[in-house]
Every structure is written in structure tokens, then in C-alpha cells.
Amino acid sequence: MDCPAVQSALLLVVNRLCLKNPDVKVAYVKAKILPLIWQILETENLFLRGRSLAVLATLASNCFSVTEEMMQMGALELAVDMLQSHTENAQIQGRSIQMLWGFMQVSRDPQVEEIYTEEMLDVVLTSIQSHATKEQLQSFALGFLWTFTSSSLRKRWLLARKGVATVCTSLEAFPHSSMVQRHGLEVLRSMSTSDGRKWVLSDGPSVEAVTGALKLLRHDAEVMAAALGLLGNLACGNVEFKRRVFKEGLCNQVLVVMEEHARDVAVQVLGTWALGVFVGLSQKRARELFELGGKDRVFAAMAEHALNDSIRAYGPLLVRRLELVQEMTVNAANMEDQELEAEELDVAPSHSQPSGSVTHRSNSEGG
């Protein structure tokens, strides 16, 4: 096992098997693979270090028991050290960030709180900017920021460092990358959950990022769910943005996305909720959504996901709102028909009245 080529191949096999079958992770840990990986990390071969970190990051992803054992072996300190000491190596940077992100998502160890610091945020933002052309690193770093910004305090940290602009730059650089787009949009969605940040985001490049994703990655349900959630957040309490959604055709694009991903519950829930936010209390916007086929689309979502609590909460309210608009439209059309009929009844006698009768009457009066 001293041959670097053999070590590299074995690490690659382990990584791929763990990705395909998460249950294998526990088996590998029980087989004492972690000490072997630690030995490889002590070598000077940076490529092998990067591949070893990739295996550790995959093991740490969504597996609580494995993560806890890794924490006991000092994996957190290892990842932080690798991240800070190999700033020029994109592979090691990306895999270290991925491993930290895995710990943040799963581990309950108090040590994880050491990740949630301003210093760590600075390191990750610097890595994003320094390796702007590395798609994999961008994806892991944006995922890290997505989890990192779960609290208001940390949202303020990112905003103070112009982190939103950094995220939008990554999204612009990789418009066809599903992972970069999904994680980046989720960061923006997380940042748009309060009014102060919402106004900043709704007037900047974040909207362009959403529209770009809606055009280029409409086939990806996870990206679309993130985009719909972000649009809904930006529209909450922002009347100008709601008008913009209809004016620029974004509402119609939401309906198209919902139609194409009719079986995806996340898209249907977030789409239905976002449409309700777009309409708000405006009768005009409700009529526009009804004319676009919004009622039928939401009704189809309710039928497809009848047992989903969120659909049952958002769907009926919006459908009823659109039905009221439909009733008002029908009543208005009936009133117009009735007025036309009344006008015809009023005008008809004057046209049918013989002109000679008037002359005859005036002659008789004169005579």
C-alpha cells in the first residue's frame, strides 16, 4: 500500500462506493479505514491528501455515527488546518470545506460551534474569490455558506463582507452548474428572509441569477425549488417586486416550472406559495394570474399532492382567491351583455317607428 498509484485508486474506489451506497460508510469505518486515511494524510503528496480528504468528506456527509467517530479522531481540527495551510491548492481547499460542511449538517458535537466564526467565514470567502474558476470548490463553499447563514447574526456577517456579491459572481460564472446554482440560490434565499436584506437583494444581481436559472436549468427540480423559494421571499411585502414579477413574465415562468415538475412536491409547494405571495391582496394581479392559467395549475398541484400539509394550507386559499376573480369576471361580462341588450331594446323602437306618423301628427295639429 506504499505505492501512490495504488493508494489513489483505492481511495477513488472507496469514495465512489460510499457515494453510491451510504450504508457502506459504516462498514468501512468498522473496518478501521480511518487510521489508514490518516496515515496517507501524513505524506507530502498533495494529490493523495486531496483524495483522502474527499473520502473523509464523503464519509462525513449525512451519516451521524461516522461523523461522531471522525470528530473523536480530530477530523475537525484536521480540516481546519488543511484549509488554512493549503490556500493555493483548490482540491484540498474544496474538500476541507466540504468536510466542514458535512460536520455542520450532521454533528451535534459542541466542537462544531468553532466553525461558526467570523474568521472561518473570511477564510471561505477568500477561498471562493481565489479559486473562482473551480466549479467543485465553488459548489462546496456555497453549500457551506447556505448552512452557515442559518442565524441572523451570521447573515449580518456575510452582508457586511459583501458576501452576496461574491455569491452572485459565482452564480454568474457557472450558469450551467446545477450544484453551484442550487447552493448559491439557497444562500440568497436564506439571506432574503428579513425585510432589510430583502430590499437589498430584490434590487441587485440576485434577480438576474434567478431568471438565468429559470431559463438554463429548468430541467433540475432542486434548482427550481430554490429559485421559487427565493422569488417568494423577495416578493413578501414588496409591492414593486410583485408588479415586476408579472411585468417581466416571471409569474408565467413559475407556472411553466410547476407544470414541468408536477410530481416534485418541493416545486409544487414553493410554487403555490410563491404565486399566493405574488397575488397578495391585489385584484388586478389575481386576475392576471387567473388569465395565465394559475387556478388550473394550483388545482392540479392540490390533486397531485393532496396529502401534503403545505399544499393543503396554501392551495385552497389561492384557488378561492382566483375563483372570486373568476366570478367577478363572469358577472362583469354578464352585466355588459345585459347593458347591451338593454341599449338594443331602447334604440329599436325609434328605428322601427314610421316617420310618416310624426309628420301626420304634426299636420293634424297644425290643421
Side-chain angles (χ1 to χ4, degrees), residues 213-309:
L214 288 172
K215 293 177 182 178
L216 298 176
L217 293 172
R218 204 162 64 196
H219 61 278
D220 192 304
E222 291 183 332
V223 175
M224 290 300 96
L228 298 183
L230 175 57
L231 283 175
N233 282 354
L234 295 178
C236 284
N238 190 339
V239 176
E240 288 301 321
F241 188 79
K242 293 178 183 179
R243 292 171 180 164
R244 181 179 173 184
V245 164
F246 283 90
K247 182 179 179 180
E248 298 182 3
L250 290 174
C251 186
N252 189 49
Q253 291 189 50
V254 170
L255 293 173
V256 172
V257 169
M258 291 180 67
E259 182 177 2
E260 293 185 358
H261 297 283
R263 302 296 297 272
D264 189 274
V265 65
V267 169
Q268 298 304 308
V269 168
L270 290 168
T272 301
W273 169 74
L275 291 174
V277 174
F278 297 161
V279 169
L281 300 176
S282 169
Q283 182 177 329
K284 180 178 180 294
R285 292 194 297 272
R287 187 183 301 110
E288 289 182 27
L289 179 58
F290 173 75
E291 291 173 353
L292 289 172
K295 176 190 170 186
D296 293 337
R297 186 67 262 149
V298 175
F299 193 80
M302 292 167 57
E304 182 69 34
H305 305 281
L307 300 179
N308 183 274
D309 291 338

XYZ file of all heavy atoms in Angstrom, residues 213-309:
743
model
N -31.325 31.029 -13.979
C -31.565 29.631 -13.611
C -32.880 29.126 -14.195
O -32.972 27.974 -14.655
C -31.565 29.488 -12.090
N -33.902 29.975 -14.193
C -35.198 29.573 -14.737
C -35.113 29.247 -16.231
O -35.856 28.407 -16.738
C -36.231 30.686 -14.515
C -36.712 30.898 -13.074
C -37.572 32.141 -12.977
C -37.486 29.684 -12.580
N -34.192 29.897 -16.925
C -34.046 29.655 -18.358
C -33.139 28.456 -18.662
O -33.458 27.636 -19.524
C -33.481 30.907 -19.036
C -34.427 32.102 -19.028
C -33.761 33.324 -19.642
C -34.693 34.534 -19.593
N -34.040 35.761 -20.140
N -32.015 28.370 -17.948
C -30.982 27.397 -18.304
C -31.108 26.060 -17.588
O -30.660 25.035 -18.094
C -29.593 27.991 -18.033
C -29.234 29.244 -18.829
C -27.869 29.779 -18.403
C -29.251 28.969 -20.324
N -31.676 26.067 -16.382
C -31.712 24.837 -15.584
C -33.131 24.460 -15.181
O -33.365 23.925 -14.103
C -30.831 25.006 -14.333
C -29.336 25.129 -14.604
C -28.584 25.489 -13.329
C -28.776 23.838 -15.186
N -34.061 24.719 -16.066
C -35.456 24.442 -15.743
C -35.722 22.947 -15.589
O -36.718 22.539 -14.990
C -36.359 25.023 -16.834
C -37.780 25.321 -16.354
C -38.487 26.270 -17.270
N -38.687 25.703 -18.595
C -39.008 26.425 -19.669
N -39.123 27.737 -19.559
N -39.198 25.845 -20.839
N -34.812 22.125 -16.109
C -34.987 20.680 -16.006
C -34.628 20.153 -14.626
O -34.977 19.019 -14.279
C -34.093 19.977 -17.031
C -32.638 20.245 -16.817
N -32.010 21.391 -17.270
C -31.671 19.537 -16.169
C -30.740 21.364 -16.928
N -30.498 20.250 -16.258
N -33.931 20.953 -13.805
C -33.454 20.497 -12.498
C -34.438 20.931 -11.406
O -34.563 22.120 -11.099
C -32.066 21.078 -12.213
C -31.389 20.415 -11.025
O -31.991 20.413 -9.928
O -30.260 19.911 -11.167
N -35.115 19.971 -10.803
C -36.154 20.280 -9.832
C -35.601 20.955 -8.580
O -36.234 21.864 -8.017
C -36.908 19.008 -9.443
N -34.423 20.542 -8.115
C -33.861 21.122 -6.896
C -33.475 22.584 -7.105
O -33.691 23.420 -6.227
C -32.657 20.300 -6.438
C -33.017 18.916 -5.926
C -31.816 18.161 -5.410
O -30.687 18.427 -5.894
O -31.982 17.310 -4.514
N -32.904 22.876 -8.259
C -32.563 24.272 -8.576
C -33.839 25.105 -8.677
O -33.899 26.241 -8.183
C -31.761 24.354 -9.889
C -31.523 25.811 -10.282
C -30.432 23.629 -9.740
N -34.867 24.556 -9.304
C -36.121 25.287 -9.453
C -36.792 25.543 -8.103
O -37.361 26.606 -7.872
C -37.078 24.503 -10.364
C -36.641 24.470 -11.824
S -36.492 26.099 -12.598
C -34.729 26.432 -12.414
N -36.729 24.579 -7.203
C -37.305 24.778 -5.872
C -36.606 25.932 -5.154
O -37.259 26.780 -4.527
C -37.191 23.495 -5.053
N -35.276 25.982 -5.259
C -34.533 27.071 -4.642
C -34.898 28.409 -5.269
O -35.058 29.420 -4.572
C -33.031 26.825 -4.767
N -35.050 28.432 -6.598
C -35.385 29.668 -7.299
C -36.781 30.161 -6.918
O -36.984 31.363 -6.674
C -35.301 29.443 -8.809
N -37.745 29.249 -6.834
C -39.110 29.637 -6.470
C -39.171 30.144 -5.029
O -39.880 31.105 -4.723
C -40.063 28.459 -6.656
C -40.202 27.915 -8.089
C -41.232 26.795 -8.131
C -40.567 29.011 -9.052
N -38.428 29.491 -4.145
C -38.383 29.948 -2.758
C -37.794 31.338 -2.643
O -38.284 32.174 -1.871
N -36.747 31.616 -3.412
C -36.127 32.941 -3.391
C -37.078 33.995 -3.937
O -37.218 35.084 -3.358
C -34.831 32.919 -4.193
C -34.112 34.265 -4.376
C -33.798 34.911 -3.035
C -32.833 34.072 -5.189
N -37.746 33.700 -5.048
C -38.697 34.659 -5.614
C -39.817 34.985 -4.622
O -40.215 36.144 -4.477
C -39.300 34.097 -6.905
C -38.428 34.153 -8.156
C -39.125 33.449 -9.316
C -38.119 35.595 -8.533
N -40.322 33.960 -3.944
C -41.369 34.186 -2.961
C -40.900 35.061 -1.817
O -41.616 35.969 -1.370
N -39.691 34.814 -1.334
C -39.141 35.642 -0.252
C -38.984 37.092 -0.681
O -39.305 38.020 0.074
C -37.779 35.097 0.184
C -37.891 33.880 1.083
O -38.986 33.493 1.477
N -36.774 33.266 1.399
N -38.472 37.306 -1.881
C -38.246 38.667 -2.358
C -39.562 39.422 -2.540
O -39.603 40.653 -2.392
C -37.480 38.641 -3.685
C -36.059 38.097 -3.647
C -35.449 38.085 -5.044
C -35.181 38.916 -2.703
N -40.623 38.700 -2.863
C -41.918 39.351 -3.101
C -42.676 39.668 -1.821
O -43.584 40.518 -1.837
C -42.777 38.464 -3.998
N -42.324 39.015 -0.724
C -43.056 39.232 0.535
C -42.959 40.699 0.964
O -41.871 41.212 1.227
C -42.491 38.338 1.638
S -42.976 36.617 1.528
N -44.089 41.375 1.026
C -44.123 42.757 1.484
C -43.544 43.768 0.521
O -43.425 44.952 0.850
N -43.188 43.351 -0.679
C -42.553 44.239 -1.655
C -43.475 44.361 -2.871
O -43.393 43.574 -3.813
C -41.188 43.678 -2.054
C -40.376 44.656 -2.876
O -40.909 45.577 -3.483
N -39.073 44.453 -2.898
N -44.338 45.369 -2.852
C -45.342 45.519 -3.900
C -44.702 45.769 -5.256
O -45.146 45.238 -6.279
C -46.320 46.662 -3.548
C -47.317 46.882 -4.685
C -47.062 46.344 -2.261
N -43.641 46.563 -5.272
C -42.977 46.861 -6.540
C -42.410 45.592 -7.178
O -42.478 45.408 -8.390
C -41.851 47.876 -6.317
C -42.351 49.281 -6.017
C -43.217 49.834 -7.138
O -42.892 49.589 -8.319
O -44.226 50.489 -6.836
N -41.864 44.717 -6.342
C -41.316 43.469 -6.884
C -42.436 42.574 -7.380
O -42.272 41.879 -8.391
C -40.483 42.747 -5.830
C -39.741 41.562 -6.358
C -38.551 41.730 -7.063
C -40.218 40.277 -6.192
C -37.869 40.639 -7.578
C -39.540 39.185 -6.693
C -38.362 39.365 -7.390
N -43.574 42.560 -6.708
C -44.715 41.764 -7.162
C -45.164 42.222 -8.546
O -45.451 41.397 -9.422
C -45.869 41.888 -6.167
C -45.596 41.252 -4.813
C -46.764 41.464 -3.860
C -46.452 40.889 -2.486
N -47.565 41.094 -1.531
N -45.219 43.532 -8.741
C -45.597 44.055 -10.064
C -44.563 43.663 -11.112
O -44.908 43.338 -12.251
C -45.729 45.575 -9.986
C -46.903 46.040 -9.130
C -46.843 47.531 -8.904
N -47.956 47.994 -8.076
C -47.983 49.173 -7.471
N -46.952 50.014 -7.595
N -49.015 49.523 -6.733
N -43.309 43.717 -10.699
C -42.223 43.362 -11.614
C -42.314 41.907 -12.046
O -42.027 41.571 -13.199
C -40.888 43.629 -10.917
C -39.656 43.332 -11.752
C -38.403 43.649 -10.956
N -37.200 43.233 -11.660
C -35.983 43.314 -11.157
N -35.803 43.802 -9.931
N -34.939 42.921 -11.857
N -42.715 41.033 -11.131
C -42.843 39.608 -11.435
C -43.822 39.387 -12.589
O -43.564 38.584 -13.497
C -43.300 38.840 -10.175
C -43.812 37.460 -10.543
C -42.155 38.719 -9.185
N -44.938 40.113 -12.566
C -45.928 39.964 -13.632
C -45.487 40.683 -14.904
O -45.657 40.175 -16.014
C -47.287 40.506 -13.169
C -48.016 39.583 -12.245
C -47.844 39.672 -10.874
C -48.862 38.603 -12.741
C -48.509 38.820 -10.011
C -49.532 37.741 -11.891
C -49.355 37.846 -10.523
N -44.890 41.860 -14.736
C -44.486 42.658 -15.890
C -43.409 41.959 -16.706
O -43.428 42.004 -17.947
C -43.985 44.026 -15.417
C -43.592 44.961 -16.539
C -43.136 46.298 -15.991
C -42.711 47.238 -17.114
N -42.256 48.557 -16.592
N -42.453 41.305 -16.037
C -41.332 40.675 -16.723
C -41.577 39.204 -17.065
O -40.668 38.513 -17.539
C -40.066 40.799 -15.874
C -39.642 42.246 -15.632
C -38.358 42.362 -14.836
O -37.762 41.311 -14.519
O -37.966 43.501 -14.532
N -42.771 38.721 -16.807
C -43.114 37.354 -17.197
C -42.613 36.268 -16.267
O -42.657 35.086 -16.609
N -42.120 36.651 -15.073
C -41.618 35.645 -14.143
C -42.738 34.754 -13.614
O -42.533 33.573 -13.368
C -40.891 36.326 -12.976
C -39.551 36.981 -13.313
C -39.011 37.737 -12.109
C -38.551 35.942 -13.775
N -43.915 35.343 -13.450
C -45.046 34.556 -12.944
C -45.391 33.437 -13.923
O -45.642 32.302 -13.519
C -46.247 35.478 -12.733
S -47.644 34.663 -11.940
N -45.385 33.748 -15.193
C -45.658 32.724 -16.205
C -44.594 31.637 -16.195
O -44.889 30.448 -16.368
C -45.724 33.381 -17.580
C -46.221 32.412 -18.640
O -47.234 31.744 -18.464
N -45.498 32.315 -19.737
N -43.328 32.036 -15.970
C -42.255 31.050 -15.895
C -42.429 30.127 -14.697
O -42.117 28.937 -14.769
C -40.898 31.759 -15.827
C -40.511 32.457 -17.112
C -39.079 32.961 -17.075
O -38.154 32.229 -16.738
N -38.896 34.228 -17.405
N -42.932 30.661 -13.594
C -43.199 29.830 -12.416
C -44.251 28.776 -12.757
O -44.117 27.599 -12.388
C -43.667 30.701 -11.236
C -44.171 29.827 -10.082
C -42.527 31.594 -10.744
N -45.284 29.171 -13.471
C -46.331 28.228 -13.866
C -45.771 27.136 -14.783
O -46.123 25.959 -14.665
C -47.463 28.974 -14.571
C -48.279 29.934 -13.704
C -49.253 30.721 -14.562
C -49.027 29.183 -12.612
N -44.870 27.518 -15.683
C -44.254 26.533 -16.587
C -43.408 25.537 -15.798
O -43.453 24.324 -16.045
C -43.394 27.253 -17.644
C -42.603 26.231 -18.465
C -44.271 28.096 -18.557
N -42.654 26.043 -14.834
C -41.829 25.172 -13.994
C -42.703 24.197 -13.214
O -42.393 23.001 -13.118
C -40.968 26.014 -13.029
C -40.320 25.128 -11.967
C -39.890 26.765 -13.797
N -43.797 24.691 -12.658
C -44.701 23.819 -11.904
C -45.300 22.743 -12.800
O -45.471 21.595 -12.381
C -45.798 24.651 -11.253
C -45.313 25.562 -10.132
S -46.648 26.532 -9.398
C -47.638 25.246 -8.619
N -45.595 23.102 -14.033
C -46.155 22.119 -14.970
C -45.132 21.044 -15.320
O -45.457 19.860 -15.403
C -46.633 22.829 -16.233
C -47.278 21.905 -17.242
C -47.805 22.643 -18.459
O -47.636 23.873 -18.521
O -48.373 21.978 -19.343
N -43.870 21.458 -15.531
C -42.835 20.509 -15.926
C -42.388 19.606 -14.777
O -41.855 18.525 -15.010
C -41.636 21.268 -16.489
C -41.936 21.966 -17.815
C -40.708 22.616 -18.411
O -39.627 22.557 -17.775
O -40.812 23.195 -19.512
N -42.591 20.061 -13.543
C -42.191 19.266 -12.375
C -43.420 18.980 -11.499
O -43.407 19.190 -10.290
C -41.127 20.004 -11.567
C -39.852 20.237 -12.315
N -38.917 19.244 -12.516
C -39.373 21.345 -12.936
C -37.898 19.731 -13.209
N -38.149 20.996 -13.485
N -44.451 18.505 -12.147
C -45.723 18.289 -11.452
C -45.620 17.253 -10.340
O -46.373 17.310 -9.359
C -46.799 17.867 -12.459
N -44.675 16.315 -10.452
C -44.559 15.265 -9.449
C -43.616 15.627 -8.309
O -43.521 14.897 -7.323
C -44.051 13.966 -10.115
C -44.934 13.457 -11.235
C -46.311 13.053 -10.733
N -46.254 11.944 -9.799
C -46.275 10.664 -10.153
N -46.341 10.338 -11.431
N -46.226 9.714 -9.245
N -42.896 16.733 -8.432
C -41.941 17.136 -7.400
C -42.649 17.982 -6.350
O -43.106 19.099 -6.629
C -40.784 17.931 -8.013
C -39.667 18.178 -7.016
O -39.752 19.180 -6.269
O -38.728 17.369 -6.962
N -42.722 17.474 -5.133
C -43.516 18.142 -4.104
C -42.902 19.480 -3.692
O -43.630 20.443 -3.414
C -43.700 17.212 -2.878
C -42.367 16.937 -2.191
C -44.697 17.803 -1.898
N -41.580 19.580 -3.657
C -40.944 20.841 -3.256
C -41.262 21.951 -4.247
O -41.577 23.091 -3.855
C -39.433 20.654 -3.130
N -41.188 21.646 -5.529
C -41.513 22.639 -6.555
C -42.969 23.062 -6.446
O -43.297 24.254 -6.536
C -41.214 22.077 -7.960
C -41.785 22.990 -9.046
C -39.717 21.913 -8.163
N -43.858 22.100 -6.232
C -45.283 22.416 -6.159
C -45.623 23.246 -4.912
O -46.386 24.212 -4.980
C -46.109 21.129 -6.170
C -45.952 20.307 -7.435
C -46.275 21.078 -8.702
O -47.340 21.684 -8.812
N -45.358 21.072 -9.649
N -45.023 22.897 -3.783
C -45.285 23.654 -2.546
C -44.767 25.077 -2.665
O -45.488 26.057 -2.414
C -44.641 22.939 -1.338
C -44.657 23.854 -0.116
C -45.380 21.645 -1.026
N -43.501 25.216 -3.055
C -42.905 26.548 -3.138
C -43.517 27.362 -4.270
O -43.662 28.586 -4.153
C -41.392 26.430 -3.320
C -40.648 25.908 -2.086
C -39.213 25.538 -2.423
C -40.674 26.943 -0.954
N -43.885 26.698 -5.363
C -44.536 27.405 -6.455
C -45.904 27.934 -6.057
O -46.247 29.089 -6.337
N -46.687 27.101 -5.392
C -48.022 27.527 -4.941
C -47.916 28.667 -3.940
O -48.655 29.666 -4.018
C -48.761 26.337 -4.294
O -48.877 25.273 -5.250
C -50.140 26.748 -3.824
N -46.999 28.523 -3.004
C -46.794 29.594 -2.018
C -46.344 30.896 -2.681
O -46.862 31.975 -2.381
C -45.753 29.148 -0.991
C -45.278 30.259 -0.108
C -45.960 30.848 0.910
C -44.005 30.918 -0.178
N -45.197 31.852 1.480
C -44.001 31.909 0.834
C -42.892 30.774 -0.990
C -42.905 32.743 1.044
C -41.795 31.595 -0.782
C -41.804 32.566 0.228
N -45.391 30.793 -3.616
C -44.879 31.984 -4.288
C -45.981 32.677 -5.094
O -46.089 33.914 -5.073
C -43.711 31.614 -5.206
N -46.815 31.914 -5.781
C -47.916 32.514 -6.542
C -48.872 33.269 -5.629
O -49.355 34.358 -5.964
C -48.678 31.426 -7.304
C -47.928 30.753 -8.461
C -48.753 29.603 -9.023
C -47.599 31.758 -9.554
N -49.147 32.692 -4.451
C -50.002 33.388 -3.483
C -49.388 34.689 -3.013
O -50.082 35.695 -2.834
N -48.065 34.686 -2.826
C -47.368 35.913 -2.413
C -47.409 36.943 -3.536
O -47.622 38.138 -3.294
C -45.909 35.595 -2.026
C -45.147 36.895 -1.730
C -45.869 34.690 -0.802
N -47.215 36.505 -4.780
C -47.251 37.425 -5.913
C -48.594 38.148 -5.989
O -48.652 39.348 -6.249
C -47.031 36.679 -7.233
C -45.690 36.021 -7.359
C -45.484 35.001 -8.283
C -44.624 36.409 -6.557
C -44.246 34.388 -8.412
C -43.377 35.791 -6.677
C -43.196 34.778 -7.602
N -49.672 37.410 -5.785
C -51.016 37.988 -5.890
C -51.290 38.928 -4.725
O -51.751 40.058 -4.909
C -52.072 36.870 -5.934
C -53.472 37.453 -5.777
C -51.954 36.090 -7.237
N -50.980 38.471 -3.509
C -51.250 39.298 -2.331
C -52.720 39.648 -2.228
O -53.593 38.787 -2.383
N -53.001 40.925 -2.024
C -54.385 41.391 -1.909
C -54.855 42.107 -3.165
O -55.930 42.720 -3.165
C -54.511 42.341 -0.706
C -54.157 41.743 0.660
C -54.233 42.817 1.747
C -55.077 40.581 1.006
N -54.070 42.056 -4.209
C -54.379 42.794 -5.425
C -55.351 42.029 -6.312
O -55.073 40.909 -6.729
C -53.092 43.088 -6.202
O -53.378 43.583 -7.485
N -56.476 42.653 -6.619
C -57.443 42.046 -7.520
C -56.890 42.012 -8.949
O -57.135 41.065 -9.694
C -58.752 42.834 -7.483
C -59.843 42.254 -8.355
C -61.143 43.030 -8.236
O -61.439 43.594 -7.191
N -61.905 43.080 -9.308
N -56.112 43.035 -9.298
C -55.539 43.103 -10.637
C -54.565 41.950 -10.879
O -54.616 41.278 -11.914
C -54.825 44.441 -10.834
C -54.175 44.623 -12.199
C -53.553 46.000 -12.303
C -52.897 46.214 -13.680
N -51.745 45.322 -13.894
N -53.668 41.720 -9.906
C -52.706 40.634 -10.069
C -53.386 39.272 -10.020
O -52.978 38.326 -10.695
C -51.608 40.726 -9.009
C -50.699 41.936 -9.170
C -49.441 41.813 -8.338
N -49.707 41.768 -6.909
C -49.814 42.846 -6.137
N -49.679 44.060 -6.654
N -50.046 42.727 -4.837
N -54.436 39.169 -9.203
C -55.191 37.911 -9.151
C -55.836 37.627 -10.508
O -55.839 36.481 -10.979
C -56.246 37.980 -8.055
N -56.368 38.673 -11.143
C -56.975 38.483 -12.460
C -55.915 38.076 -13.487
O -56.156 37.204 -14.325
C -57.656 39.775 -12.917
C -58.459 39.617 -14.220
C -59.073 40.917 -14.697
N -59.965 41.477 -13.686
C -59.700 42.587 -12.995
N -58.562 43.236 -13.200
N -60.542 43.029 -12.091
N -54.732 38.691 -13.399
C -53.656 38.347 -14.330
C -53.230 36.887 -14.148
O -53.014 36.167 -15.137
C -52.457 39.267 -14.115
C -52.685 40.698 -14.574
C -51.454 41.560 -14.377
O -50.333 41.011 -14.384
O -51.598 42.781 -14.200
N -53.115 36.444 -12.900
C -52.728 35.056 -12.647
C -53.804 34.106 -13.138
O -53.503 33.055 -13.717
C -52.478 34.850 -11.150
C -52.082 33.428 -10.734
C -50.818 32.977 -11.450
C -51.886 33.344 -9.214
N -55.056 34.462 -12.943
C -56.155 33.621 -13.423
C -56.118 33.504 -14.941
O -56.276 32.410 -15.500
C -57.501 34.210 -12.980
C -58.684 33.510 -13.559
C -59.084 32.268 -13.095
C -59.399 34.080 -14.615
C -60.167 31.605 -13.650
C -60.482 33.424 -15.176
C -60.865 32.190 -14.692
N -55.844 34.611 -15.618
C -55.800 34.603 -17.080
C -54.614 33.798 -17.602
O -54.654 33.266 -18.718
C -55.741 36.044 -17.602
C -57.032 36.818 -17.362
C -56.909 38.291 -17.716
O -55.773 38.730 -18.024
O -57.934 39.000 -17.679
N -53.553 33.696 -16.785
C -52.389 32.894 -17.172
C -52.606 31.396 -16.938
O -51.754 30.577 -17.310
C -51.151 33.350 -16.388
C -50.560 34.712 -16.754
C -49.478 35.101 -15.753
C -49.997 34.689 -18.168
N -53.720 31.048 -16.315
C -53.996 29.639 -16.022
C -53.550 29.214 -14.634
O -53.363 28.023 -14.374
N -53.396 30.189 -13.740
C -52.921 29.892 -12.390
C -53.844 28.992 -11.597
O -53.388 28.106 -10.855
N -55.147 29.187 -11.762
C -56.097 28.374 -10.994
C -55.970 26.899 -11.351
O -55.918 26.027 -10.467
C -57.529 28.854 -11.261
C -58.587 28.011 -10.569
C -59.975 28.364 -11.035
C -60.989 27.348 -10.531
N -62.338 27.578 -11.089
N -55.910 26.597 -12.641
C -55.806 25.200 -13.076
C -54.497 24.574 -12.605
O -54.457 23.409 -12.203
C -55.886 25.125 -14.598
C -57.258 25.534 -15.122
O -58.228 25.446 -14.341
O -57.343 25.933 -16.290
N -53.415 25.365 -12.643
C -52.108 24.837 -12.243
C -52.091 24.507 -10.753
O -51.582 23.454 -10.340
C -51.029 25.872 -12.565
C -49.623 25.437 -12.354
C -49.220 24.365 -13.323
N -49.319 23.025 -12.733
C -49.606 21.945 -13.397
N -49.837 21.974 -14.685
N -49.672 20.770 -12.789
N -52.619 25.401 -9.927
C -52.639 25.171 -8.483
C -53.590 24.025 -8.145
O -53.294 23.196 -7.273
C -53.050 26.457 -7.732
C -53.196 26.186 -6.247
C -52.005 27.549 -7.964
N -54.710 23.970 -8.848
C -55.659 22.884 -8.604
C -55.019 21.540 -8.950
O -55.223 20.545 -8.235
C -56.923 23.095 -9.442
C -58.070 22.220 -9.034
C -58.857 22.540 -7.944
C -58.350 21.050 -9.734
C -59.910 21.719 -7.560
C -59.391 20.226 -9.350
C -60.180 20.566 -8.269
N -54.218 21.501 -10.001
C -53.518 20.266 -10.368
C -52.502 19.878 -9.296
O -52.336 18.694 -8.978
C -52.817 20.450 -11.722
N -51.817 20.876 -8.727
C -50.860 20.599 -7.649
C -51.577 20.033 -6.427
O -51.085 19.105 -5.775
C -50.117 21.877 -7.272
N -52.755 20.577 -6.117
C -53.530 20.080 -4.982
C -53.988 18.644 -5.212
O -54.013 17.829 -4.288
C -54.739 20.993 -4.749
C -54.378 22.389 -4.257
S -55.780 23.534 -4.358
C -57.008 22.684 -3.373
N -54.351 18.333 -6.438
C -54.799 16.970 -6.749
C -53.642 15.976 -6.700
O -53.787 14.852 -6.222
C -55.458 16.951 -8.130
N -52.460 16.397 -7.189
C -51.296 15.509 -7.240
C -50.708 15.252 -5.866
O -50.203 14.173 -5.576
C -50.228 16.126 -8.156
C -48.989 15.277 -8.343
C -49.270 14.015 -9.143
O -50.123 14.042 -10.057
O -48.637 12.985 -8.844
N -50.775 16.260 -4.986
C -50.156 16.152 -3.659
C -51.200 16.453 -2.579
O -51.004 17.317 -1.722
C -48.971 17.113 -3.552
C -47.957 16.940 -4.635
N -47.010 15.929 -4.617
C -47.754 17.624 -5.797
C -46.256 16.020 -5.701
N -46.683 17.025 -6.431
N -52.288 15.731 -2.644
C -53.429 16.006 -1.774
C -53.122 15.791 -0.296
O -53.789 16.374 0.569
C -54.613 15.133 -2.187
N -52.133 14.970 0.026
C -51.829 14.661 1.420
C -50.748 15.561 2.008
O -50.438 15.456 3.192
C -51.387 13.193 1.548
C -52.418 12.153 1.107
C -51.851 10.754 1.273
C -53.710 12.309 1.901
N -50.192 16.433 1.198
C -49.136 17.316 1.695
C -49.732 18.478 2.474
O -50.599 19.200 1.974
C -48.303 17.840 0.517
C -47.143 18.692 0.977
O -47.280 19.887 1.188
N -45.976 18.070 1.133
N -49.282 18.656 3.705
C -49.863 19.685 4.575
C -49.663 21.093 4.029
O -50.551 21.953 4.150
C -49.251 19.592 5.980
C -49.682 18.330 6.713
O -50.731 17.770 6.336
O -48.976 17.897 7.638
